[in-house]
Amino acid sequence: MVTTPAPAARNQDRPVYVIGGGPGGLAAAAALRERGVRAVILEKSEHVGASWRLHYDRLHLHTTRKLSGLPGLAIPRRFGRWVSRDDVVRYLEQYADFHHLEIVTGVTVSRVERTDDDGWLVHASGGRELAASAVVVATGYNHTPRLPDWPGRSSYTGELLHAGDYRNAEPYAGRDVLVVGVGNTGAEIAVDLAEGGASRVRLAVRTAPHIVRRSTAGWPAQRTGILCRRLPVALVDRLARPMAKLSVPDLTEQGLPRPTTGLYSRVREGAIPVQDVGLIDAVRTGQVEPVAAVESFEDGKVVLADGTHIAPDAVIAATGYRRALEDLVGHLGVLDDRGRPATHGRRTAPAAPGLYFTGYTNPISGMFRELALDARKIAKAIAG
């Protein structure tokens, strides 16, 4: 990739290193460049937007094009209201070129350390030791696939894969498939399988999710999420209940009851509502069958929490990801007990001034939107 230094860049000898060439890293680098601060992106793959390139084929942004642009460049109107995976990748490539970002690909960062002169030392592949004035960590929310260590999993001989390895329904046509996990990824993969010709699709659910319409009468759920961000949790919970009853049918008889906890209370715990891209109709018509959570594997079968033993042809685990930041920054005391950054955006930990994190929350107002806001705040803090 052609790189161009930032105009009138300061700290040329010790730039800001941005770890990760996804949307968060690109946005941070562009915002820094705009303020005359040299930023160098270190990306372990050969292309920007690596994680987006690996997502399943039918994925679209659940947020609108207008509210998902990164600083300094809107997403092209021709990409439509709900931008596809491939168009997100095209946009990220255009974004890097438009801002003439300085990107070094094929470089893996293993550790970040403080130096005696209040700077940072970035340890990277090839024995590199890079001196930095500040570091922005943007390795992504979906970094390392998390597959639960279910009892009997190691001896299970059936097909078992993480959702990160799922691309489309073609290999599963005419087959019985169990999808584990009813987040947005699991719900959409289940719908994709049902529409793609799987003979049977079951969806293992541990906790019934809140389901919201992606758009109602032209009003996107994202705008509601933005409005709710600063309202009291209890108030949003109360307002969400009647709205859910009006917009989402009761699927209790189909095995997907309404949640007993409030929508925003669940968001604060890290459980984002499922945006409906076909799940409601698929459950109502029996194309997708909700079942109990997976407890273990036994004698080649899957054991569910209600004691049922089932024998699907394939199991797809939509069980989330780990941030995997322990080796990189765990020694600095900047992670919480779940391995997540204790600070994000413009805030830094007292013991690690100059170390910033972006992209490690999953807000209902939209990931891309929050990445854009964080990028400008981080750039302002560093430039100041």
Side-chain angles (χ1 to χ4, degrees), residues 55-58 85 161 163 165-173 189 192-193 196 316:
H55 287 315
Y56 49 92
D57 295 350
R58 73 174 281 153
R85 178 203 62 185
L161 68 152
D165 296 317
Y166 176 87
R167 295 294 171 267
N168 56 59
E170 185 177 349
Y172 305 97
I189 287 176
D192 194 44
L193 289 164
I316 300 174

Side-chain angles (χ1 to χ4, degrees), residues 14 33 69 88 91 109 128 135 146 153 222 258 268:
R14 292 203 306 179
R33 178 183 169 84
V88 169
Y91 170 65
V109 177
R128 297 176 178 88
V135 175
R146 185 182 71 84
R153 193 195 83 185
Q222 181 187 9
R258 295 189 188 278
R268 297 295 290 270

Side-chain angles (χ1 to χ4, degrees), residues 10-337:
R10 299 191 295 256
N11 297 323
Q12 293 282 357
D13 56 331
R14 292 203 306 179
V16 175
Y17 279 102
V18 179
I19 306 173
L26 296 176
L32 284 163
R33 178 183 169 84
E34 185 180 20
R35 288 181 173 270
V37 178
R38 184 186 176 204
V40 179
I41 296 173
L42 302 176
E43 168 55 44
K44 68 179 181 180
S45 76
E46 297 302 321
H47 306 279
V48 299
S51 63
W52 270 91
R53 297 172 189 271
L54 298 177
H55 287 315
Y56 49 92
D57 295 350
R58 73 174 281 153
L59 179 65
H60 286 66
L61 282 178
H62 291 164
T63 54
T64 67
R65 172 184 54 81
K66 288 184 178 180
L67 296 175
S68 300
L70 301 179
L73 183 67
I75 298 177
R77 187 173 184 177
R78 68 179 183 276
F79 289 172
R81 192 182 196 195
W82 311 105
V83 185
S84 71
R85 178 203 62 185
D86 291 346
D87 282 338
V88 169
V89 172
R90 292 187 184 97
Y91 170 65
L92 296 179
E93 292 173 339
Q94 292 172 9
Y95 190 85
D97 290 340
F98 179 84
H99 287 291
H100 303 290
L101 299 182
E102 194 170 348
I103 304 171
V104 184
T105 59
V107 176
T108 300
V109 177
S110 57
R111 189 175 175 90
V112 176
E113 294 180 337
R114 286 276 283 162
T115 59
D116 294 336
D117 60 353
D118 294 329
W120 291 91
L121 189 65
V122 178
H123 297 269
S125 54
R128 297 176 178 88
E129 292 187 347
L130 308 171
S133 58
V135 175
V136 180
V137 182
T139 53
Y141 191 84
N142 296 335
H143 187 276
T144 301
R146 185 182 71 84
L147 195 62
D149 190 19
W150 289 297
R153 193 195 83 185
S154 59
S155 60
Y156 181 65
T157 57
E159 183 178 352
L160 171 63
L161 68 152
H162 189 272
D165 296 317
Y166 176 87
R167 295 294 171 267
N168 56 59
E170 185 177 349
Y172 305 97
R175 302 175 68 190
D176 181 341
V177 186
L178 172 68
V179 179
V180 184
V182 71
N184 277 292
T185 297
E188 189 158 6
I189 287 176
V191 173
D192 194 44
L193 289 164
E195 294 177 352
S199 63
R200 186 176 188 180
V201 180
R202 284 173 283 200
L203 181 60
V205 179
R206 184 169 298 278
T207 304
H210 285 276
I211 303 174
V212 298
R213 300 285 188 180
R214 187 169 64 174
S215 178
T216 303
W219 177 267
Q222 181 187 9
R223 288 197 179 277
T224 302
I226 293 170
L227 294 174
C228 291
R229 283 297 300 275
R230 301 190 182 280
L231 294 177
V233 174
L235 175 60
V236 177
D237 285 348
R238 286 198 299 271
L239 293 174
R241 290 190 191 101
M243 291 301 297
K245 290 182 179 179
L246 287 172
S247 61
V248 178
D250 186 358
L251 301 173
T252 301
E253 291 187 2
Q254 288 78 27
L256 206 59
R258 295 189 188 278
T260 56
T261 53
L263 183 148
Y264 204 25
S265 294
R266 292 281 298 279
V267 169
R268 297 295 290 270
E269 296 170 359
I272 298 299
V274 171
Q275 294 215 18
D276 178 47
V277 289
L279 180 66
I280 293 174
D281 287 342
V283 171
R284 290 177 69 181
T285 59
Q287 291 179 288
V288 172
E289 308 168 43
V291 296
V294 171
E295 286 294 301
S296 63
F297 292 84
E298 182 181 315
D299 297 329
K301 294 184 178 181
V302 181
V303 182
L304 304 181
D306 60 4
T308 304
H309 289 58
I310 62 176
D313 298 318
V315 178
I316 300 174
T319 47
Y321 294 79
R322 294 189 299 107
R323 312 294 87 81
L325 293 169
E326 289 79 6
D327 291 342
L328 184 66
V329 297
H331 57 288
L332 297 171
V334 295
L335 304 179
D336 63 17
D337 56 0

